[in-house]
Amino acid sequence: MAAAPPEPTAAPLHVAIVMDGNGRWAKRRGLPRTLGHRAGVEALKRTVAAAPALGIKWLTVFGFSTENWSRPAAEVAELMALPKRYFDSDLTRLEREGVRVRCWGRREGLSPELVKMLDEAEARTAHNDTFFLQIAFNYGGQADIVDAARAFAAEVAAGRARPEDLDEAMFARHLSSRDAPPTDLIIRPSGEQRLSNFLLWEAAYAEFVFQDVLWPDFSVDHLKAALEEFSRRDRRYGGTPADGVLAAG
């Protein structure tokens, strides 16, 4: 008798998205790159609105990386303005609908006005627990690991911890993602197939879905397609697969 097909994987609790392709979207239309980034904000709004009904509880998006500072000054200025554009239009709604906002990444280098805005978004939504939105801004996976290592080293220096106390669980408690559950699914639109320094620690057993769509065109259907692909994955976390053949992943 043929073996029964494996049960579909449950919907991912925590989804992360690399919001990539804004510049190329604008270039293909003969528009300034700044307009591509603004169109990307609209894609973010659509995704945040659709995610809870699809079973997603946590959504982490890559807004600005530590490497993006090397872009032209005008584009960096536009990227710095995007949180204001998003929160000016949507923060009241997010607060009302039970969304808790968390902003990951370094505050150093950001303007005082932007830091104040990020802090306000976190404070105004701190009581919410219906849905969790993490915005990785001035964030890099390597930088986050370095910051975590520095934080633990400071605890050792202060006598609050010993080097031998460090294990994976303790280290994870020093990362930006410390309050979030493990990342289940990472989606990257735009046709690129790399992490680009996003969630390097958290990606250990995440599933990846790459889609050939530029972020401003990312729709609810694209999100559903990624979740359907995720549901067909056999997540083993290094254990024995369904067919009994040992594998590393």
Side-chain angles (χ1 to χ4, degrees):
M1 179 181 297
E7 291 293 325
T9 301
L13 179 68
H14 185 179
V15 172
I17 303 178
V18 181
M19 300 187 294
D20 188 29
N22 297 337
R24 278 170 284 169
W25 182 90
K27 183 177 180 180
R28 290 178 184 180
R29 289 161 175 77
L31 301 172
R33 290 175 65 90
T34 55
L35 294 186
H37 294 307
R38 295 179 190 182
V41 171
E42 297 305 312
L44 174 60
K45 292 179 182 180
R46 291 194 298 269
T47 303
V48 172
L54 297 175
I56 300 168
K57 181 81 171 182
W58 298 72
L59 177 67
T60 300
V61 295
F62 204 3
F64 183 86
S65 80
T66 50
E67 288 73 39
N68 288 156
W69 291 105
S70 63
R71 295 189 178 188
E75 185 175 0
V76 170
E78 175 64 24
L79 289 167
M80 289 292 115
L82 293 180
K84 176 174 173 56
R85 185 178 302 278
Y86 180 53
F87 290 137
D88 278 353
S89 64
D90 276 44
L91 183 56
T92 298
R93 180 184 61 80
L94 296 173
E95 182 181 11
R96 182 180 64 248
E97 294 181 358
V99 177
R100 182 169 183 178
V101 176
R102 290 185 170 120
C103 300
W104 294 356
R106 293 174 171 173
R107 297 295 203 261
E108 296 86 352
L110 304 181
S111 70
E113 294 78 14
L114 179 53
V115 170
K116 181 180 178 181
M117 181 180 305
L118 299 179
D119 290 345
E120 179 187 1
E122 291 185 330
R124 283 180 53 180
T125 62
H127 60 285
N128 289 340
D129 60 5
T130 300
F131 182 78
F132 296 86
L133 173 62
Q134 290 71 232
I135 300 175
F137 199 84
N138 199 22
Y139 169 93
Q142 292 176 331
D144 203 45
I145 290 171
V146 167
D147 290 344
R150 286 174 175 168
F152 180 74
E155 291 181 3
V156 172
R160 296 192 300 271
R162 301 170 302 166
E164 58 267 30
D165 293 335
L166 187 63
D167 59 14
E168 290 89 340
M170 178 175 285
F171 188 80
R173 290 198 290 271
H174 293 80
L175 295 166
S176 294
S177 58
R178 55 188 169 270
D179 296 321
T183 307
D184 296 305
L185 170 64
I186 297 175
I187 303 170
R188 178 154 191 168
S190 83
E192 304 293 349
Q193 298 188 23
R194 57 180 179 271
L195 276 176
S196 294
N197 201 17
F198 185 44
L199 300 180
L200 299 184
W201 178 278
E202 297 81 0
Y205 279 103
E207 297 293 324
F208 296 84
V209 170
F210 301 104
Q211 295 178 316
D212 192 16
V213 56
L214 300 178
W215 174 246
D217 290 328
F218 191 86
S219 67
V220 177
D221 286 340
H222 292 105
L223 181 57
K224 288 180 178 178
L227 298 182
E228 289 172 2
E229 172 64 24
F230 177 86
S231 73
R232 295 191 289 269
R233 303 287 176 85
D234 177 17
R235 305 188 75 195
R236 302 189 297 273
Y237 303 97
T240 304
D243 60 8
V245 178
L246 291 177

